Amino acid sequence: MELTLNDIKFIRETVHKFGYPLNEIEKYAKENFIPIAKPEVADFLSFIVRLKKPNNILEIGTAIGYSTIIMAKACSKVRIVTIERDINLAEIAKENFKKAKVEDRIELICGEAQQVFPNLTKNYDLIFVDAAKGQYIEFYKEVKRLLSKEGVILWDNILYKGYVVNEKNVKHKRRTIVYRMREFIEILHQDKTLYTVILPLGDGLAVSFKEE
Ligand SMILES: C[S@@+](CC[C@H](N)C(=O)[O-])C[C@H]1O[C@@H](n2cnc3c(N)ncnc32)[C@H](O)[C@@H]1O
């Protein structure tokens, strides 16, 4: 017997609950239809940052700073560079960083990730990719360049609401994303320098580890 939707619901109910200001950010995101990490993905982010204790993290897709704060709170020494193209969301994120008292460890760069990447010269111990799903193939080379030896990449929404596996009910406008995601998953699995697993968390989370 395999896991059912009820099991997934149960897992979602058992994840750690985050206090202020994350609980308020969750509420704001829900009321304003701003996509943030699903509870089990958020909990896994917290888990992996606690386990890996990275010196630095790169995040692509800040939105209002929910996942950024979770990662900052999970390791008191970590410094985070996070990229967001929407200036209005970026402004809200900055306010949220102050509320969470983590603003001194976070650099928010407002811009298109593809244009920001060439200006980044450091390597990052953990990279969280949570931006436009159709662009993961474009991000891939630069994200790999920016990854430290033994670094970890988390690619969120890899199964895109389940459409990547079951495309029957996919509307035409979403098909391109589905095909691009499938192509991307194939690229990840062919890549001999990364060891990648796909976890059934949220919308699907791929975790890649750089073996060298
Ligand atoms: C799912 S939301 C991020 C949620 C956030 N990581 C969290 O869990 O709290 C995706 C964000 O990525 C941003 N984004 C999408 N494509 C981008 C790109 N190419 N460069 C920078 N930001 C991008 C969107 O504006 C959006 O705010």
Side-chain angles (χ1 to χ4, degrees):
M1 202 159 125
E2 298 192 8
L3 291 187
T4 64
L5 278 177
N6 267 342
D7 297 302
I8 293 169
K9 216 174 135 214
F10 173 78
I11 294 170
R12 195 165 278 183
E13 282 161 8
T14 59
V15 298
H16 292 90
K17 304 278 182 288
F18 302 107
Y20 178 85
L22 290 162
N23 49 359
E24 287 193 359
I25 299 172
E26 285 165 9
K27 194 164 168 265
Y28 182 89
K30 197 169 181 190
E31 287 168 1
N32 293 281
F33 307 101
I34 298 166
I36 59 169
K38 298 272 187 327
E40 60 277 18
V41 173
D43 208 13
F44 184 74
L45 277 182
S46 183
F47 171 86
I48 200 146
V49 172
R50 281 158 200 268
L51 181 76
K52 186 156 176 62
K53 297 182 181 56
N55 287 315
N56 54 10
I57 295 176
L58 173 66
E59 176 180 56
I60 305 157
T62 322
I64 55 174
Y66 178 70
S67 50
T68 328
I69 295 171
I70 285 173
M71 294 190 287
K73 291 266 187 199
C75 178
S76 59
K77 68 165 189 187
V78 73
R79 305 192 75 83
I80 304 179
V81 171
T82 182
I83 308 171
E84 173 54 57
R85 67 180 172 193
D86 183 321
I87 187 150
N88 297 317
L89 294 179
E91 288 305 323
I92 300 171
K94 280 186 192 162
E95 286 307 311
N96 286 335
F97 297 156
K98 284 185 199 150
K99 285 184 195 162
K101 298 188 172 44
V102 291
E103 76 276 17
D104 52 332
R105 292 189 283 125
I106 298 173
E107 181 189 353
L108 195 159
I109 303 174
C110 194
E112 283 289 335
Q114 300 90 319
Q115 284 160 23
V116 174
F117 288 148
N119 303 325
L120 301 178
T121 49
K122 279 189 190 159
N123 287 330
Y124 296 85
D125 299 334
L126 191 122
I127 303 183
F128 179 42
V129 185
D130 189 18
K133 290 168 274 294
Q135 296 177 341
Y136 283 18
I137 294 178
E138 283 173 58
F139 296 161
Y140 169 71
K141 266 199 185 142
E142 284 292 73
V143 166
K144 269 186 67 175
R145 173 182 70 81
L146 292 164
L147 189 67
S148 306
K149 194 175 169 218
E150 303 200 334
V152 170
I153 314 170
L154 305 173
W155 312 89
D156 202 7
N157 309 117
I158 201 93
L159 298 178
Y160 187 32
K161 300 176 197 293
Y163 295 139
V164 170
V165 179
N166 183 358
E167 70 179 280
K168 263 191 208 145
N169 302 320
V170 186
K171 294 209 174 83
H172 187 70
K173 63 175 183 180
R174 290 175 164 161
R175 288 229 172 99
T176 311
I177 298 181
V178 169
Y179 296 145
R180 297 199 90 193
M181 236 0 158
R182 280 193 190 152
E183 193 185 336
F184 179 61
I185 291 170
E186 187 58 31
I187 289 172
L188 280 182
H189 279 129
Q190 298 287 336
D191 189 330
K192 298 277 180 284
T193 66
L194 295 177
Y195 192 96
T196 299
V197 292
I198 297 178
L199 304 179
L201 298 176
D203 253 1
L205 184 77
V207 183
S208 302
F209 171 68
K210 187 176 187 175
E211 290 191 307
E212 266 178 294

